[in-house]
Amino acid sequence: MRGTEVLTCRLRGRLAREVEKSDGALVVVGDRVQVETLPDGSGIIEEVLPRRSAVARKAAGRIPREQVLAANVDLAAVVVSLREPRFKPGTVMQFVLGARAGGVEPLVVLNKVDLDCGNLAQAEEALAPVRAAGVCCVATSAKNGDGLEDLAGCLRGCWTLFYGQSGVGKSSLLNRLCPEAAARTSAVSHVTGRGRHTTSGSTLYALPEGGFVIDTPGVRSFSFWNAPEREDVAGLFPEIEALAGMCRFRDCAHDREPGCAVREALDRGEIDARRYRHYVRLARGARRHGWRHR
């Protein structure tokens, strides 16, 4: 990175032992650390400073384990596409909630609007419910440059995490925003329709106009590690949040409870059934990870 000194470091012995015990990463991209510089030009990490934010998910595998994708970021850019891979509103909302649960502002970037069935009108239609949830959205094309100026403006001066499913074009966008990154890209598999993993580890890049972007390997879904608050889930669905206070029970989950104003509105056709199903799926996922009742 231009104007930035790169120092190869290792963990102090006691920190390395903590990593062995926890079976996880003690230091992730974005962490602030205290380092002792050695005579040979390398360094030893003495302490990992407290994080002001972190985007974390439940790691794959049978044993529950936290996987922190990035720490101390201002913005989490959820990169998606209309197709190759297909746009899934529920999955997008999972990524958005994952960012908010970690104290990070989400940004949804709909890439590949250059594809023949992915024109701008369709992009705006797909993004409409996301915008209604109060989430900033940008439609882009890494291929022809559409929307890149708007995206660069959102990222300027920020520490940003790029994350999302494989094959949506995270690395391609980064190459357009920061040509010196030379991030690897590959085509989506035409056999499965899923993206190939082209980024093997999280990497920090400096943007020419100021700010940093952390590029991460693609994931197929976002499993909550820190469960979002009930209010955070409902906040993505303003039409549901507006009716919540009219339910019979104050802690109504708007799922199967009697006297639920949300379900009554659904039966009358006043709430979109697909949007309601997205809400229930996200709410149940949050409950499985333990809502923090106030």
Side-chain angles (χ1 to χ4, degrees), residues 87-239:
F87 183 87
K88 298 179 180 179
T91 301
V92 173
M93 292 302 189
Q94 278 185 306
F95 281 100
V96 166
L97 275 174
R100 287 184 171 175
V104 180
E105 184 68 23
L107 167 70
V108 172
V109 182
L110 181 58
N111 194 29
K112 299 187 179 183
V113 295
D114 56 278
L115 295 181
D116 54 4
C117 73
N119 57 50
L120 194 57
Q122 286 180 300
E124 291 303 317
E125 181 181 354
L127 291 175
V130 184
R131 294 188 196 277
V135 180
C136 182
C137 301
V138 181
T140 64
S141 168
K143 183 176 181 179
N144 62 28
D146 287 348
L148 290 182
E149 186 175 343
D150 292 337
L151 178 58
C154 293
L155 307 184
R156 190 174 297 119
C158 295
W159 283 71
T160 304
L161 168 69
F162 265 33
Y163 75 143
Q165 295 179 296
S166 299
V168 294
K170 296 187 300 297
S171 296
S172 296
L173 280 174
L174 181 58
N175 282 336
R176 294 296 298 262
L177 294 167
C178 184
E180 293 181 3
R184 294 181 300 155
T185 60
S186 73
V188 171
S189 168
H190 292 290
V191 177
T192 66
R194 297 170 179 170
R196 298 190 183 100
H197 291 282
T198 56
T199 303
S200 58
S202 298
T203 307
L204 179 69
Y205 298 102
L207 295 174
E209 298 183 14
F212 295 87
V213 168
I214 298 170
D215 190 25
T216 62
V219 295
R220 291 180 181 173
S221 63
F222 191 95
S223 298
F224 300 121
W225 179 259
N226 294 316
E229 298 281 2
R230 184 193 305 273
E231 294 84 354
D232 292 335
V233 179
L236 295 178
F237 303 86
E239 68 275 34

